[in-house]
Amino acid sequence: MMASETSPAPAGTIETADFANVGRAAWWQRGFFASQTAYVAVALAAIVVVMAVLSPAFLSPGNVANVAKNFSFIGIVTLGMTLVIVTGGIDLSVGSVMALSAIACAMAMQALAGTGLASVPFATMALAILAGLGVALLIGLANGLLVARVGLSPFVTTLGMLSIARGLAYAVTEGRGQTPSGPDIDAFYAFTDGTILGVPMAVIYLLGLAAILGIVLHHTAFGRHVFALGGNEKAAALTGVAVERVKVCVYVLCSLSAGFAGILMTGWLGSAPANLATGYELTIIAAAVIGGANLAGGVGGPAGAVIGALLIEVIRNGLVLAGINAYWQIVLVGMIIILAVLVDRLRSGRTA
Amino acid sequence: MALLELRGVGKDFGAIRALSDVDLTIEPGEAVGLMGDNGAGKSTLVKIIAGNFAPTHGSIAFDGQPVHFTRPVDARNVGIEVVYQDLALADNLTAAANVFLGRELRRRIGPFRFLDHRAMNRRASELFAELKSETRASDVVRAMSGGQRQAVAIARTRLSDAKLVLMDEPTAAISVRQVAEVLDLIRRLKDHGVAVILISHRMPDVFSVCDRVVVLRRGRKVADKPVAASSPEEVTALITGAKEAA
Ligand SMILES: Nc1ncnc2c1ncn2[C@@H]1O[C@H](COP(=O)(O)OP(=O)(O)O)[C@@H](O)[C@H]1O
Ligand SMILES: [Mg+2]
């Protein structure tokens, strides 16, 4: 149906456009500015200022580039995770998918180096990256179909997939790290670990993907349905939303984001070890939750994903610079998750 | 010509006969109160009309055409909308987003189709004005009163220009003030020529907005008459079985 088909309002009815905004809260009390994402952003800014004052090394170009790259890998997957969490789901398999995709990419590049394709410019690199993403897509599809079609719980399904994908990563490589190689290796490093105007590629991918996700979530029917699923799945189904398809899509997209980040990490590390990104799923879920995604579904967005991932990395980096034992960062991240959710609870309790 | 015509409609759930041999005719713009004790078959009847499941016996005609609904979308396509008891709204979305859920207005930009927020907000505002509801299109449903939620659910039915709206106990769990709001909304629907089937346990609701009252008892229709020719006392007697039929 098109808006132009609407019949004109009968004479005597109130001009609706005039009161459409009456009584709405001020701009700083609604939308982004009233969200958990906003005050976590404020907290992040405060932490950055404090660290810059305490440690001159914090804002040194080398350290900034290091932080930017590290948080971008996590941030890219947090975007995908946020999408799943907004529908009310969860994906525990992302860390394993990062490893398996990275390995598939590295092994495909090695294998293709000896074929006729090696003489075609960029062909081995493109196919190797597609192989890595293809593995991620298959795993996401399996997750999505098991959750949406069969009706299994997302937690259990993706926990199983965490184990399956990690096991495959070890089995296929017999535990040996895979090194990408071949005629396109320089191009591969430029694509994954290069810079444009001094900005690391990972940061560029993260910001680009975040912008796309923002547009998709807020300006397409698919994004609207993602939110509707998290708000009231039954209502979405009753109103004719293609619930199954939307769910399968979010698991596939989340898995693809993990596969892509895994491939980028391979370029950064120069190899794809079978233990790549072990335990990352918890950091990624933590980043999403800190950024304001609600595990109950219906709330979340790309700005929160980026800010949450950055906050975790900044704190980790700060502890390293302060010479504090790395194990404490794990404790601290846990405390931040609880604090962020607690503050949100207190805030919404007060305004409700 | 009748809008909806049921002939000898029955429904068995295994050995349980939930509904037997129901004839029912609804004229355009007519509001019919459907009453009966718990388990009398009211929801079953409404679900058959809404396409949630097919009847075991009998036939249905809508707008003079025989119809065989097997899914809710079949009924929706001919102009039958349901306002569900729990309203089926997504709390985290705005009123306009809920009204347009599953049938969003979109604009083409290059190869992509983006939501047309302005058109949806404007159309939803028009619908709320038409329903004389104070609901604002851009407000999030979570913060809304029961009456405003009803307005959102009913605005959905106006959007598709439904000819028949089915309401299963819309006033079951809301405050007295909100009941008055909902009854007003039903009157607005009638003003627009929309027929309404209202399931309710509340005698005053049915007698204030409905033209006819239909009483079911243990799956059978035991009364079907203009409210003007009946009384709450008679209907109570019919529901309980103190009076056999009317
Ligand atoms: N899906 C179902 N499966 C089996 N029996 C059902 C089902 N739905 C309704 N019934 C039975 O049909 C009868 C009528 O139920 P219902 O239409 O819900 O009554 P009402 O809405 O008037 O309270 C009841 O005996 C109920 O137990
Ligand atoms: Mg019922």
Side-chain angles (χ1 to χ4, degrees):
Chain A
M1 184 191 292
M2 290 302 297
S4 53
E5 287 175 16
T6 61
S7 52
T13 55
I14 312 157
E15 181 48 70
T16 54
D18 283 342
F19 65 80
N21 273 323
V22 173
R24 285 187 75 181
W27 58 269
W28 46 272
Q29 286 176 321
R30 64 177 147 86
F32 176 78
F33 298 95
S35 66
Q36 179 178 328
T37 306
Y39 67 77
V40 172
V42 171
L44 174 63
I47 291 170
V48 167
V49 169
V50 170
M51 292 231 219
V53 171
L54 290 183
S55 163
F58 180 68
L59 287 183
S60 71
N63 192 55
V64 168
N66 191 23
V67 167
K69 217 184 278 180
N70 275 336
F71 109 92
S72 294
F73 303 131
I74 299 279
I76 287 168
V77 193
T78 306
L79 293 175
M81 183 66 75
T82 298
L83 204 49
V84 171
I85 290 178
V86 170
T87 66
I90 193 87
D91 187 349
L92 299 174
S93 67
V94 286
S96 305
V97 171
M98 288 170 82
L100 197 58
S101 287
I103 286 165
C105 175
M107 290 178 79
M109 200 135 79
Q110 292 163 12
L112 290 165
T115 68
L117 282 166
S119 57
V120 183
F122 305 121
T124 62
M125 174 179 96
L127 287 175
I129 290 171
L130 286 180
L133 293 177
V135 166
L137 185 138
L138 287 179
I139 295 177
L141 204 58
N143 282 338
L145 289 173
L146 287 170
V147 170
R149 182 82 37 101
V150 186
L152 300 185
S153 114
F155 188 93
V156 175
T157 304
T158 59
L159 182 64
M161 202 56 80
L162 176 158
S163 191
I164 292 171
R166 182 65 66 186
L168 283 174
Y170 279 101
V172 169
T173 62
E174 293 172 329
R176 286 191 299 270
Q178 299 298 312
T179 309
S181 60
D184 291 340
I185 190 64
D186 290 335
F188 180 72
Y189 285 135
F191 176 80
T192 53
D193 198 37
T195 59
I196 291 181
L197 301 175
V199 183
M201 293 305 290
V203 177
I204 293 171
Y205 295 131
L206 171 68
L207 297 180
L209 290 172
I212 292 171
L213 181 61
I215 291 169
V216 166
L217 273 179
H218 296 291
H219 299 287
T220 69
F222 171 77
R224 175 72 39 95
H225 297 167
V226 167
F227 279 111
L229 234 64
N232 186 343
E233 187 172 328
K234 204 178 124 228
L238 283 170
T239 54
V241 171
V243 171
E244 271 187 22
R245 205 172 63 205
V246 173
K247 270 195 191 175
V248 171
C249 277
V250 298
Y251 283 94
V252 166
L253 290 172
C254 179
S255 212
L256 282 173
S257 73
F260 184 59
I263 293 168
L264 294 181
M265 279 185 86
T266 304
W268 176 55
L269 296 170
S271 92
N275 68 350
L276 181 85
T278 300
Y280 272 34
E281 56 281 345
L282 292 186
T283 310
I284 288 158
I285 293 167
V289 170
I290 290 170
N294 187 333
L295 288 176
V299 185
V306 172
I307 291 168
L310 185 54
L311 183 77
I312 289 182
E313 175 57 22
V314 162
I315 287 172
R316 196 196 64 80
N317 181 256
L319 293 178
V320 171
L321 291 180
I324 295 171
N325 183 326
Y327 296 130
W328 284 104
Q329 72 178 261
I330 306 174
V331 176
L332 205 68
V333 165
M335 284 164 53
I336 299 166
I337 297 173
I338 294 175
L339 189 71
V341 176
L342 198 64
V343 171
D344 188 50
R345 166 66 61 84
L346 293 176
R347 192 186 56 82
S348 53
R350 202 172 52 236
T351 55
Chain B
M1 184 178 56
L3 180 65
L4 177 75
E5 198 162 355
L6 271 59
R7 285 268 161 269
V9 164
K11 178 74 189 174
D12 300 335
F13 290 109
I16 301 170
R17 173 147 297 186
L19 216 54
S20 41
D21 202 23
V22 172
D23 292 342
L24 181 65
T25 305
I26 311 274
E27 300 296 330
E30 194 180 30
V32 174
L34 186 55
M35 305 196 78
D37 208 349
N38 283 333
K42 307 181 295 293
S43 294
T44 303
L45 183 60
V46 159
K47 282 176 179 162
I48 287 172
I49 299 170
N52 290 68
F53 39 65
T56 324
H57 312 280
S59 64
I60 306 175
F62 192 79
D63 255 348
Q65 302 294 320
V67 287
H68 304 276
F69 305 143
T70 52
R71 300 169 305 159
V73 64
D74 299 337
R76 201 178 300 146
N77 285 342
V78 302
I80 299 175
E81 289 275 340
V82 185
V83 174
Y84 290 93
Q85 199 159 4
D86 48 12
L87 296 179
L89 301 178
D91 263 6
N92 57 333
L93 300 183
T94 64
N98 269 287
V99 169
F100 282 93
L101 190 57
R103 40 192 160 185
E104 290 80 7
L105 301 182
R106 290 179 296 176
R107 276 180 309 149
R108 184 178 287 282
I109 300 179
F112 303 107
R113 308 235 284 153
F114 293 107
L115 294 177
D116 193 341
H117 298 286
R118 282 188 57 189
M120 287 191 281
N121 276 328
R122 195 176 54 226
R123 181 76 185 111
S125 296
E126 283 169 12
L127 290 171
F128 293 133
E130 217 178 274
L131 294 168
K132 301 201 166 45
S133 164
E134 288 168 4
T135 309
R136 281 187 300 264
S138 55
D139 281 1
V140 174
V141 166
R142 177 174 294 115
M144 288 188 178
S145 72
Q148 287 177 319
R149 286 160 173 266
Q150 289 285 349
V152 175
I154 291 169
R156 278 188 62 82
T157 71
R158 294 294 303 138
L159 181 65
S160 59
D161 241 336
K163 294 174 186 156
L164 172 63
V165 172
L166 311 173
M167 305 178 85
D168 193 345
E169 306 211 35
T171 57
I174 59 178
S175 73
V176 175
R177 198 183 86 86
Q178 289 168 6
V179 168
E181 266 182 64
V182 172
L183 297 182
D184 272 340
L185 290 170
I186 295 173
R187 290 191 190 96
R188 293 288 100 72
L189 287 177
K190 282 177 63 182
D191 291 347
H192 286 91
V194 179
V196 177
I197 297 181
L198 170 68
I199 296 186
S200 178
H201 278 300
R202 293 169 38 91
M203 241 14 115
D205 294 3
V206 170
F207 278 83
S208 68
V209 296
C210 292
D211 306 302
R212 258 162 63 213
V213 55
V214 169
V215 181
L216 292 182
R217 191 167 67 237
R218 288 193 270 126
R220 292 188 172 277
K221 189 172 92 170
V222 293
D224 184 346
K225 59 200 291 189
V227 290
S230 185
S231 66
E233 293 74 24
E234 185 190 34
V235 171
T236 305
L238 286 162
I239 289 171
T240 58
K243 182 170 178 183
E244 267 308 313

